[in-house]
């Protein structure tokens, strides 16, 4: 099955920056893809277009056959639910517990947990809390469930973010520079976690990285971007030959 298809995708930011120039690509259901390129190449714009944090200027971007470039309202929320995403800066709610942060992944996207004074834990039935706990188990940090998010190391916080994305039961998993703020050991753990999710759940994973060594070790397929264009698409062996 085809998970993602970009057709002549372009993004021009309001200041005139062309972040994506006519990008076309296809990602299948069973792929683990690493997108590499220097800072400013357009990797983040490509990933953020998929959950519509960014709206492309022209072209098509299909997620399991549905063009997401023009969806709005309720349909847009559904699209975002299908896409699990993690970021360089984890984006956890610092003063909430780890388990509550994972439960955020179970909230409807229009609900803001911070607007309610009540504990998030009490707003979820037991089955939901167990589901969230299970997501923590999958990333190997269930023993930290009741710690405050901001008491954790960077690598642990990133795994909480992965668990939160898993709690959405996504159909595709995106990671935008997930290891850029982490030490080498935590980076390895996070990449292994992403790989395991891919293998166990059989869902496609796209990871933006600027470390070529990690890209070569983890990417079965590598997409290379430069100045908004897709300039390479192949296995890591092909990449060695080009380099
Ligand atoms: P990468 O993820 O590869 O570092 P980005 O997609 O973040 O690349 O950025 C691509 C280009 O678009 C860069 O030149 C960047 O400065 C520019 N850019 C990113 N976001 C914006 C924005 N909101 N407004 C204007 N330019 C932006
Ligand atoms: P990332 O960590 O994803 O690369 P950046 O640190 O480059 O993000 O950018 C942080 C924010 O600033 C993002 O929302 C991005 O869209 C925006 N941004 C990046 N480059 C520019 C730019 N040249 N002009 C305006 N906004 C930008």
């Amino acid at each position: 099955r085809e998970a993602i298809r970009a057709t002549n995708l372009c993004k021009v930011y309001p200041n005139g920056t062309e972040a994506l120039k006519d990008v076309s690509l296809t990602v299948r259901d069973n792929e683990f893809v690493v997108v590499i390129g220097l800072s400013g190449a357009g990797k983040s714009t490509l990933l953020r277009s998929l959950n519509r944090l960014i709206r492309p200027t022209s072209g098509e971007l299909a997620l399991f056959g549905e063009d997401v470039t023009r969806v709005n309202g309720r349909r847009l929320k559904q699209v975002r639910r299908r896409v699990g995403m993690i970021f360089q800066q984890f984006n956890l709610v610092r003063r909430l517990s780890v388990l509550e942060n994972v439960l955020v992944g179970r909230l409807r996207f229009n609900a803001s947990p911070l607007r309610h004074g009540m504990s998030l834990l009490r707003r979820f039935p037991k089955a939901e809390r167990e589901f969230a706990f299970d997501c923590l188990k999958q990333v190997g940090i269930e023993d930290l469930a009741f710690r405050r998010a901001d008491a954790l190391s960077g690598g642990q916080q990133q795994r909480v973010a992965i668990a939160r994305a898993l709690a959405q039961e996504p159909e595709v998993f995106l990671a935008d520079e997930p290891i850029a703020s982490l030490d080498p050991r935590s980076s390895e753990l996070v990449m292994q976690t992403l790989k395991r999710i891919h293998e166990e759940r059989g869902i496609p994973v796209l990871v933006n990285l600027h470390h070529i060594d990690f890209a070569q070790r983890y990417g079965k397929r590598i997409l290379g971007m430069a100045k908004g264009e897709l300039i390479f698409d192949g296995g890591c062996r092909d990449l060695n030959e080009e380099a």
Side-chain angles (χ1 to χ4, degrees):
R1 197 160 64 125
E2 198 173 274
I4 295 163
R5 175 186 288 267
T7 314
N8 306 120
L9 198 67
C10 297
K11 174 64 185 179
V12 184
Y13 284 107
N15 67 0
T17 306
E18 288 185 76
L20 295 177
K21 297 177 193 163
D22 232 13
V23 171
S24 296
L25 59 92
T26 309
V27 174
R28 295 189 61 78
D29 220 2
N30 56 355
E31 291 193 278
F32 189 105
V33 180
V34 174
V35 186
I36 56 165
L38 300 176
S39 177
K43 307 182 295 294
S44 183
T45 303
L46 177 65
L47 244 64
R48 285 165 198 231
S49 296
L50 277 165
N51 71 346
R52 275 287 307 279
L53 284 174
I54 286 173
R55 190 183 175 120
T57 309
S58 63
E60 272 189 18
L61 186 58
L63 190 61
F64 297 105
E66 181 188 7
D67 184 13
V68 299
T69 58
R70 278 165 282 269
V71 295
N72 277 310
R74 208 144 84 102
R75 197 71 203 111
L76 177 57
K77 281 177 196 132
Q78 284 165 352
V79 166
R80 289 191 172 149
R81 246 207 121 94
R82 296 167 77 186
V83 179
M85 184 143 186
I86 63 168
F87 302 92
Q88 177 176 346
Q89 295 305 335
F90 328 130
N91 296 356
L92 302 181
V93 184
R94 303 173 58 89
R95 62 182 177 79
L96 292 184
S97 70
V98 164
L99 190 63
E100 285 171 306
N101 268 280
V102 178
L103 282 165
V104 168
R106 303 294 289 171
L107 287 172
R108 289 173 171 274
F109 273 67
N110 54 4
S112 160
L114 298 174
R115 246 183 267 140
H116 305 273
M118 194 173 155
S119 154
L120 259 186
L121 283 180
R122 277 184 288 136
R123 290 176 61 209
F124 284 91
K126 188 156 179 268
E128 287 285 301
R129 292 183 306 226
E130 282 172 358
F131 186 93
F133 197 77
D134 248 22
C135 294
L136 282 174
K137 276 189 188 158
Q138 286 178 52
V139 302
I141 48 170
E142 69 275 17
D143 51 324
L144 300 174
F146 300 103
R147 299 274 292 278
R148 256 178 71 135
D150 56 9
L152 270 52
S153 73
Q156 290 167 337
Q157 288 193 44
Q158 191 60 293
R159 283 187 287 158
V160 177
I162 294 173
R164 177 182 59 192
L166 285 179
Q168 280 173 232
E169 302 179 88
E171 293 170 68
V172 52
F173 211 98
L174 308 178
D176 190 6
E177 297 283 0
I179 60 173
S181 330
L182 303 180
D183 60 77
R185 198 185 121 67
S186 301
S187 297
E188 212 68 71
L189 270 172
V190 164
M191 290 304 294
Q192 280 165 10
T193 304
L194 290 174
K195 197 173 160 199
R196 197 153 39 78
I197 287 166
H198 168 70
E199 285 164 0
E200 286 173 6
R201 304 205 164 206
I203 61 174
V205 177
L206 257 77
V207 189
N208 283 348
L209 292 177
H210 62 264
H211 294 77
I212 197 155
D213 50 329
F214 275 98
Q216 285 175 320
R217 271 187 298 126
Y218 287 92
K220 286 187 197 129
R221 176 180 172 198
I222 295 175
L223 300 176
M225 292 194 65
K227 298 178 181 166
E229 291 181 72
L230 190 63
I231 57 160
F232 177 84
D233 182 355
C236 63
R237 232 184 250 160
D238 311 320
L239 186 71
N240 285 331
E241 281 163 19
E242 286 228 339

